[in-house]
Amino acid sequence: MEMIKGIKGHGYYDELVVPIIENTAYENELTDSLAKAIDAYPKATAVLVRNHGIYVWGDSWINAKTQAECYHYLFDAAIKLHQLGLDWSTPNHGPTRNFKLGLGSNGNVNTSAKAVTEGSDYGSGLFPRCIVLDIEGTTTPISFVSEVLFPYARDNVGKHLSVTYDTAETQDDIKLLRSQVEDDLKQGVAGAVPIPPGDAGKEEVIAALVANVDAMIKADRKITALKQLQGHIWRTGFESNELEGEVFDDVPEALEKWHSLGTKVYIYSSGSRLAQRLIFGNSNYGDLRKYLSGFFDTAVGNKRETPSYVEITNSLGVDKPSEILFVTDVYQEATAAKAAGLEVVISIRPGNGPLPENHGFKTINSFAEI
């Protein structure tokens, strides 16, 4: 955009219009279409001839040559950005936040470039190579998790365990819960109750499991044993259409845009990967999984611990962690990700908890701001 200043009659924030005309077999045959372009756009100081070159005029030969170099730079930059898969129509650099270069058709005359200024709370430099999104309070209302998903799991855990008790999947869930409860009992965790051995009656075992799961849900514990079982219970709910995932209205459009730009988008949530796929695969906007490149859960580590984000960085194969943008509503998660070198913004959504004063992070109210 700096090069617009080198073109006569234009400043940094001004609109730049370049007529584009079709080429002809002989140069002298361009006269009529050139005249038409100049008449249609009297402020233009150049005309681009498709598949040929650009005609520039100025007060002197030197002036025209300087302007030609500016036009060449602008067009060359747009082409290179396009080849790199970057969004050359809406970069987020400097005071000029939105640059639109379009080659349309209007008879023999096309309009091309225009620069406009728009405000933005986030964005400088290149667009992130990867975006990692939290779910609760970021893509999805906290109320959906606390008032829909958690109650469904709590109300159906007994039924689910009873119906699927002898399956390998549920036996694996029970094994994980046993291990977790044993640790909880050793550490004196409130709400933990002993689970009878496997040779005890089925109903006794299930009753103890229900009591432990209920306590874990009430404490909102972010542990794999609970999240894995919840995912299996929610799967039943989604398959029977008792549950439907919920995302904020700006999420689908943003996911589609990032996908079209070649930016890889991942989910990192304390909920199991199965639960994540269920929410985005059965959302109020349909199946959004086609826009997502992968899912991370607590198997990579606690979301409030820096090594978790180091592990994610290594998994994504980026050259440096700053190529990843992490979006969350939780200050402690933001701090951990920043310590790992990731770029971080905090999501401000209805129902989210308060942030510390002077937290130092950029904030967004909508994905459209990214």
Side-chain angles (χ1 to χ4, degrees), residues 143-196:
S143 59
F144 173 72
V145 178
S146 62
E147 298 173 14
V148 178
L149 290 184
F150 283 178
Y152 185 89
R154 184 179 60 246
D155 296 343
N156 288 276
V157 61
K159 176 183 176 182
H160 173 83
L161 290 172
S162 180
V163 171
T164 64
Y165 189 82
D166 294 321
T167 65
E169 181 180 84
T170 295
Q171 286 300 310
D172 183 56
D173 291 344
I174 294 173
K175 181 180 178 181
L176 273 178
L177 285 167
R178 282 186 184 279
S179 177
Q180 182 64 56
V181 171
E182 287 174 5
D183 290 341
D184 291 348
L185 289 169
K186 291 177 183 177
Q187 297 174 21
V189 175
V193 297
I195 300 175

Side-chain angles (χ1 to χ4, degrees), residues 209-223:
L209 289 169
V210 169
N212 280 286
V213 169
D214 185 62
M216 292 174 180
I217 292 175
K218 286 179 179 177
D220 192 19
R221 298 184 64 186
K222 314 292 186 182
I223 48 178

